Amino acid sequence: MRHPPDFIRKHQHLRPRTNIFSSLLRIRNTASQALHQYFQENGFCEVHTPIITTNDCEGAGEVFGVEPLDRSLVNDLDSAETDEMSSDDEGDKLKHFFKNPAFLTVSGQLHLETVNGGFSKVYTFGPTFRAENSLTRNHLSEFYMLEAEIAFIYQLEDLMVIMEDLIKKTTETILARSAEDVNLFFKHVSPKKKELVKKMLKSPFMRISYTDAVELLQNKVQKFQFKPEWGEDLKKEHERFLTHYFGDIPVFVTEFPARIKPFYAKLNDDNCNTAAAVDLLFPEVGEVFGGSLREDNFETLEKRLQLLGLVEGYQWYLDLRRFGSAPHGGFGMGFERYLQYLLGVSNIRDVIPFPRWPKHCHM
C-alpha cells in the first residue's frame, strides 16, 4: 500500500523509509555537492553568512523576530548597561537581547556584498526564513537559498550567462551521479519531465524584457485571474504562461519597474523608471532565480534609502560605496524550487527533509 505524500509528510519516521523520499534525499545531497563544485571550480569563495541578522534585505517585512524566551536575560543586560551609563543615557536602556531588533535571515546578500569588497567572487548556501502566511504548494517558512555576488559585472547579460551555466552544469552532474534516483522520479512522479530536462539542457534560455512580457500577456486572449499591469509583479499564472509560450524552457525576464524591486537594484538610464534586475522563470514552478546589478552610485543609493526612510539603519551599507566600490551584481537561487522543477514534484514540501509552513513545525 502506498500512502499519499500529504500523509507521509506528517509522519516523519516514515519519510526516509519510502523509495521516493530516500531518493530525494540522495538527490539533494548530490545537488548540494554539485553547486559547491561549480563555484569552487570557478574561483568563488564560500562565505558563512549569519542566520541572525539586524536587516530585512528585501524590505518586505516578512521576518521572524529573535528574542530570548526568558526575558530576564534582557533585564540583566538592561541592568548591566545602566550601571555603565552616564546620566544622559539613563533613559536609553536596552530593549532587545542584541540591543537592536534581530531577525532570522531572509537573505545573505547584504553580508556577501560586504565581503565582495575584498573578494571578487563570493557565495553562500544555507537556510533562509520568511514569515509569509501562505499555504500554497510553492511556499515554505524555511528553505535553502544559494546566493552569489560578483565584482566587475557591468551588464545583466554577464549575470545571466553565469546563472544559465550554473543550472546546466549542476543538472548535468545530478543526472550523471544520481541517475537511478532521478529516473525513479521520471518514471513514477513526472513521466514527461525527462524529455523536458533534456530540452532545457540543449536550448539557450529565452530572454524578454518585463515591458515586452506584460504587453505579450495583455494581448493574449487567455483570461488570467490577475490582470497583467505594468508596474505590478508578475503572478504565478503569468510566469507559467510565459515559460509555456516559449516552449517550456526557462525564461529570463529583465528590466523590471524600479518601484517593485529592492533599493539595491541599479537604476537604468530611463528616468529611473526601471532597474537592472532579472528573474529566471522555470516551467510550472515559476521564479527560481532573482538577481540584479547592484547600485554602486553613492548619491543615487542614498536618495533611494531616504525615500524609504532607511538611511539611519543602512549607514554601513552606504559605507560600502562611500569608501570605494566597483560595479557588481548578484543573484539568489531557491534550492527547493529548482528541485521541484528538475524532478517534477508538485508540492515544495516534498523536496525538503523537514518542511515548515504556517501552523506546522513538527519536531
Side-chain angles (χ1 to χ4, degrees):
M1 176 182 177
R2 290 184 179 177
H3 295 292
D6 58 341
F7 178 85
I8 300 295
R9 205 180 299 136
K10 296 173 184 176
H11 296 80
Q12 293 289 344
H13 65 289
L14 295 179
R15 293 187 101 197
R17 305 183 191 192
T18 65
N19 289 339
I20 284 290
F21 200 73
S22 59
S23 289
L24 180 277
L25 292 178
R26 287 189 290 269
I27 293 168
R28 273 187 73 104
N29 176 64
T30 301
S32 177
Q33 290 179 340
L35 290 168
H36 282 291
Q37 178 182 328
Y38 179 88
F39 284 110
Q40 293 298 320
E41 290 179 351
N42 284 277
F44 284 76
C45 179
E46 182 185 10
V47 178
H48 295 143
T49 55
I51 289 178
I52 299 176
T53 178
T54 58
N55 68 71
D56 171 9
C57 179
E58 302 206 355
E62 297 167 340
V63 292
F64 290 100
V66 177
E67 292 291 350
L69 193 60
D70 184 354
R71 294 296 298 178
S72 66
L73 293 174
V74 177
N75 294 333
D76 291 342
L77 287 172
D78 283 348
S79 300
E81 185 81 1
T82 302
D83 292 341
E84 299 176 4
M85 285 180 179
S86 67
S87 58
D88 294 336
D89 296 326
E90 288 180 1
D92 186 24
K93 294 183 179 181
L94 283 172
K95 297 180 181 179
H96 303 282
F97 186 84
F98 294 106
K99 193 170 185 180
N100 298 313
F103 317 102
L104 294 179
T105 184
V106 299
S107 170
Q109 179 207 315
L110 300 186
H111 299 96
L112 282 182
E113 282 199 61
T114 304
V115 182
N116 198 208
F119 290 75
S120 61
K121 295 180 179 180
V122 290
Y123 78 102
T124 189
F125 184 31
T128 52
F129 308 84
R130 300 284 170 91
E132 184 177 358
N133 191 18
S134 175
L135 297 174
T136 75
R137 59 189 178 90
N138 299 303
H139 291 86
L140 289 167
S141 300
E142 177 184 353
F143 55 95
Y144 275 69
M145 184 101 84
L146 176 83
E147 299 177 274
E149 288 292 320
I150 309 103
F152 305 108
I153 288 281
Y154 295 91
Q155 53 187 1
L156 274 182
E157 182 60 30
D158 298 333
L159 206 58
M160 292 188 284
V161 167
I162 296 172
M163 293 159 70
E164 183 170 345
D165 190 49
L166 168 65
I167 281 296
K168 290 184 174 179
K169 295 282 179 55
T170 299
T171 302
E172 288 170 351
T173 300
I174 295 170
L175 294 179
R177 295 181 185 172
S178 295
E180 184 177 350
D181 289 316
V182 173
N183 285 329
L184 184 68
F185 278 86
F186 290 165
K187 181 178 180 180
H188 296 291
V189 177
S190 184
K192 296 180 180 179
K193 179 59 69 171
K194 185 174 183 178
E195 294 305 315
L196 291 175
V197 170
K198 285 182 178 180
K199 182 180 180 181
M200 179 272 286
L201 291 173
K202 294 178 181 178
S203 306
F205 293 178
M206 297 301 300
R207 286 143 167 80
I208 186 173
S209 72
Y210 168 90
T211 299
D212 289 344
V214 170
E215 184 178 348
L216 175 63
L217 291 163
Q218 290 175 337
N219 290 336
K220 285 299 161 185
V221 177
Q222 177 176 336
K223 289 187 177 181
F224 297 106
Q225 181 181 356
F226 298 96
K227 184 179 178 181
E229 296 281 1
W230 200 96
E232 300 294 329
D233 262 325
L234 297 177
K235 305 299 184 185
K236 190 69 66 178
E237 59 180 339
H238 304 150
E239 296 172 342
R240 287 175 178 162
F241 174 87
L242 290 170
T243 54
H244 182 68
Y245 179 85
F246 287 111
D248 292 316
I249 59 175
V251 177
F252 286 110
V253 181
T254 64
E255 317 297 350
F256 282 79
R259 69 179 185 82
I260 65 172
K261 287 299 177 181
F263 64 86
Y264 50 74
K266 188 173 181 63
L267 297 178
N268 289 321
D269 296 328
D270 58 356
N271 295 321
C272 301
N273 287 327
T274 63
V278 57
D279 286 352
L280 179 54
L281 313 180
F282 280 69
E284 296 302 319
V285 180
E287 181 190 347
V288 174
F289 281 77
S292 74
L293 302 184
R294 312 312 191 192
E295 185 58 73
D296 56 347
N297 183 283
F298 177 85
E299 289 76 17
T300 301
L301 182 61
E302 186 176 40
K303 287 179 182 177
R304 294 196 75 186
L305 288 170
Q306 285 173 344
L307 287 172
L308 296 169
L310 298 174
V311 173
E312 183 178 351
Y314 283 86
Q315 281 298 316
W316 65 269
Y317 191 72
L318 286 169
D319 285 347
L320 299 180
R321 278 68 171 168
R322 181 183 284 115
F323 298 110
S325 182
H328 61 288
F331 59 81
M333 165 190 164
F335 185 52
E336 281 75 27
R337 287 191 180 180
Y338 165 66
L339 292 176
Q340 265 192 286
Y341 162 76
L342 177 64
L343 303 175
V345 177
S346 62
N347 196 316
I348 198 169
R349 298 167 190 168
D350 296 323
V351 291
I352 191 169
F354 302 98
R356 275 82 169 91
W357 67 90
K359 303 190 186 308
H360 182 100
C361 185
H362 286 183
M363 296 175 62

